[in-house]
Amino acid sequence: IPVDSFDLVIFGGTGDLARRKILPGLFRRFCAGQMPPEAQIVGAARSEMDDSGYREFVAEAIHEFAGPLSEDAAQVEGFLERVCYVAIDAKGEAGWEELKSKVREDLVHAFYFSVAPSLFGDIAERLHLHGLAGDESRIVVEKPFGKDLDSARELNATLAKHFDEHQIYRIDHYLGKETVQNLMAVRFGNVLFEPLWNAQYVDHIQITVAETVGVGGRGSYYDASGAMRDMVQNHLMQLLCLIAMEPPAKFEPDAVRDEKLKVIRALEPVEPYHIVRGQYDKSKDAPGYRQDVENPRSFTESFLALKLHISNWRWAGTPFYLRTGKKLKARTSEIVVVFKDAPHSIFGADAGRHRNVLAIRLQPNEGMTLDVTIKEPGPGGMRLVDVPLDMTFADALGPEAEQATEAYERLIMDVIRGNQTLFMRGDEVEAAWAWTDPIIAGWTARSDVPKPYDQGGSGPEDSLMLMHRDGRRWRELK
Ligand code: BG6
């Protein structure tokens, strides 16, 4: 379904995010017929360049990052006709009047701040000064949204000077992932799971976001952030919220975000011995974390595992184990709900221990498996075995599922539609930092040193111990 016609201005239009995600994403939506004929994309950045120079940049981005669709020359040409460029100075006056002449008054306006947060205030102010932004204009901002509670509050206050909360779209690209939204469909679209979705029936929940990549060329950003600020405070926190929240009355922005906020506010402070920090070591043929970030004395974590508790009626006593890390053995994002033992085994001790386990794979091979206990086939008496009911969405739903919209495409279209459901509200972000800050402060106070771990493994040994101590274990990374 095409969205309303729009002008989308990308500040930082020549940056890495624009090149890798925003522009290829918009191109794919264009190919899908979702972009109305008058829609226009304006790249805005410091470099001096004309429209045709920018179109070349966009064409390259598409060829590199938009997949097979980029081979369709007519589509690429058609998309480039929608693209133009303005050289602009975020901190000065150059370029703003030209930008104004390109932005058409009667359309939806979205301004994507794909720039360092230190420029948010300058850009917001100039948009107003030059009469570019109205009450219905939308702005899009990216993570990192602050580095702690104080800086997040400051950013929120800066944006609030010029924009109302209903105009601010804070992106957490995990919320745009198909399967992440599916969490809500699974929980609230079925009667099967929700009655069991509580401390009475759930033994524990695991959330894993494992990556095989290292920190790449982002060493200086990453070394100042670590896994806590880069992944846990935002992406894993959002997954936790969707898994743990109460059913919202409606699938509407504030109904959903109110419930997520309650989860974050109900998080208990984490005991230091419920946290494992790791840093990938150098291997025979690959540099280690410290070489990658060019900081031989870095104590930043590239791996983090935590055991959390949510203090509310539904989850009292049920642990949530979260882990994320770089240079691990598989790229796997998965949520695993491990149900409790049956209250009484009529089959006796020999039958062993069997549990229902619901594993929701977010990426890759999106799908779900539910381990169900059945009788082992054969004449050997009543022996039990767990078998997975296995559903890979691409198998079940066909090519549609395989061509699923990428996170950024969906989120940008939601901005144009004016739907904030999949964006973080200011108070959510602040609540997440309020929970994160004391943990990081504790590391600093104790001069905590992350444990080295082997590349291509499952993280530090201590992370396994975090589970073993409780008689549990992580689901194998694969
Ligand atoms: C980003 C982090 O937000 O998410 C990166 O900054 C991380 O460090 C990335 O690699 C993971 O995203 P995805 O979509 O590849 O799981």
Side-chain angles (χ1 to χ4, degrees):
I1 309 167
V3 294
D4 287 344
S5 209
F6 62 88
D7 282 335
L8 170 67
V9 179
I10 310 172
F11 293 106
T14 54
D16 207 45
L17 185 73
R19 197 167 72 89
R20 286 171 183 274
K21 299 285 183 188
I22 306 173
L23 293 163
L26 284 163
F27 169 69
R28 286 164 56 115
R29 288 297 89 210
F30 172 80
C31 296
Q34 211 174 18
M35 237 193 241
E38 311 80 43
Q40 173 185 233
I41 295 147
V42 187
R46 267 220 318 244
S47 331
E48 286 300 333
M49 204 190 294
D50 57 11
D51 287 348
S52 70
Y54 191 58
R55 287 186 186 130
E56 261 170 51
F57 169 86
V58 177
E60 272 169 32
I62 290 173
H63 286 122
E64 206 171 339
F65 297 107
L69 285 173
S70 65
E71 283 155 29
D72 187 334
Q75 292 280 34
V76 176
E77 207 38 55
F79 179 72
L80 293 179
E81 281 169 19
R82 315 294 183 80
V83 175
C84 62
Y85 182 77
V86 178
I88 209 157
D89 180 4
K91 287 179 171 293
E93 300 318 315
W96 291 92
E97 284 305 314
E98 190 190 344
L99 181 61
K100 186 162 185 197
S101 70
K102 303 222 169 173
V103 172
R104 295 157 296 174
E105 252 177 35
D106 48 340
L107 302 184
V108 173
H109 301 148
F111 300 99
Y112 203 125
F113 290 21
S114 179
V115 294
S118 55
L119 294 176
F120 287 3
D122 292 308
I123 295 178
E125 200 175 312
R126 281 180 177 73
L127 283 174
H128 273 270
L129 218 63
H130 292 271
L132 274 149
D135 291 347
E136 291 310 315
S137 304
R138 288 147 209 178
I139 60 167
V140 186
V141 293
E142 276 286 334
K143 84 169 243 283
F145 197 83
K147 61 178 175 46
D148 54 19
L149 179 57
D150 285 347
S151 52
R153 277 195 179 135
E154 217 174 287
L155 277 182
N156 275 334
T158 303
L159 296 178
K161 272 194 219 149
H162 301 288
F163 296 94
D164 192 73
E165 184 64 32
H166 81 273
Q167 300 178 275
I168 305 174
Y169 291 72
R170 293 178 196 77
I171 289 202
D172 182 312
H173 79 281
Y174 266 59
L175 290 177
K177 287 183 191 273
E178 187 74 26
T179 333
V180 173
Q181 291 162 70
N182 207 16
L183 289 175
M184 284 183 276
V186 168
R187 280 194 62 192
F188 306 128
N190 295 286
V191 289
L192 215 54
F193 302 113
E194 207 44 30
L196 307 178
W197 212 261
N198 55 50
Q200 197 182 343
Y201 293 103
V202 174
D203 177 74
H204 73 279
I205 292 182
Q206 305 179 12
I207 303 180
T208 295
V209 178
E211 299 184 277
T212 50
V213 292
V215 296
R218 303 154 73 225
S220 62
Y221 153 75
Y222 193 91
D223 204 37
S225 308
M228 181 59 125
R229 291 189 174 101
D230 185 53
M231 296 294 286
V232 175
Q233 186 270 348
N234 34 75
H235 306 325
L236 276 85
M237 183 66 72
Q238 290 295 324
L239 298 179
L240 175 73
C241 285
L242 297 179
I243 273 295
M245 72 184 183
E246 296 301 315
K250 286 192 170 147
F251 189 59
E252 283 181 357
D254 281 334
V256 172
R257 298 186 301 175
D258 287 346
E259 295 307 333
K260 289 198 296 170
L261 179 61
K262 287 184 208 161
V263 174
I264 305 175
R265 291 196 171 147
L267 281 172
E268 288 179 14
V270 189
E271 302 291 344
Y273 60 93
H274 286 159
I275 305 176
V276 179
R277 298 171 75 225
Q279 198 179 67
Y280 60 84
D281 217 347
K282 59 176 183 294
S283 71
K284 245 188 5 270
D285 26 48
Y289 174 85
R290 291 178 171 188
Q291 287 81 44
D292 279 351
V293 301
E294 295 174 5
N295 178 4
R297 295 188 43 75
S298 172
F299 294 131
T300 301
E301 76 285 352
S302 59
F303 176 97
L304 191 56
L306 307 129
K307 177 180 171 184
L308 311 183
H309 281 283
I310 300 173
S311 272
N312 64 16
W313 191 288
R314 184 189 284 260
W315 293 118
T318 308
F320 287 74
Y321 299 90
L322 273 51
R323 70 176 161 167
T324 182
K326 301 219 179 266
K327 292 265 182 172
L328 297 176
K329 74 172 175 205
R331 177 174 186 253
T332 309
S333 298
E334 191 171 58
I335 297 176
V336 182
V337 182
V338 179
F339 291 91
K340 288 190 173 169
D341 294 350
H344 166 70
S345 170
I346 64 168
F347 307 108
D350 288 353
R353 187 178 202 189
H354 296 275
R355 284 184 156 179
N356 299 122
V357 175
L358 176 68
I360 306 170
R361 286 191 309 277
L362 306 177
Q363 62 188 25
N365 307 325
E366 290 86 343
M368 293 189 341
T369 56
L370 176 63
D371 288 355
V372 177
T373 305
I374 59 163
K375 177 186 172 300
E376 197 176 277
M382 198 52 155
R383 296 159 73 99
L384 303 183
V385 61
D386 295 332
V387 291
L389 285 175
D390 197 341
M391 182 166 74
T392 299
F393 296 148
D395 294 345
L397 303 173
E400 278 280 292
E402 277 190 286
Q403 286 163 17
T405 332
E406 277 204 12
Y408 274 93
E409 301 171 38
R410 173 190 320 277
L411 293 174
I412 297 171
M413 290 299 120
D414 277 358
V415 174
I416 306 299
R417 285 194 201 96
N419 184 349
Q420 288 185 306
T421 312
L422 301 175
F423 296 83
M424 294 180 295
R425 212 167 51 190
D427 50 4
E428 255 183 275
V429 178
E430 289 184 14
W433 282 122
W435 173 82
T436 310
D437 277 2
I439 301 176
I440 297 179
W443 298 339
T444 314
R446 293 194 303 277
S447 304
D448 191 81
V449 180
K451 302 275 182 313
Y453 63 92
D454 291 341
Q455 298 187 27
S458 307
E461 192 65 27
D462 288 26
S463 146
L464 308 181
M465 287 309 298
L466 181 73
M467 284 287 213
H468 287 178
R469 278 204 305 258
D470 296 345
R472 302 182 171 110
R473 60 190 152 89
W474 291 108
R475 200 173 151 92
E476 178 84 17
L477 285 181
K478 50 179 185 235

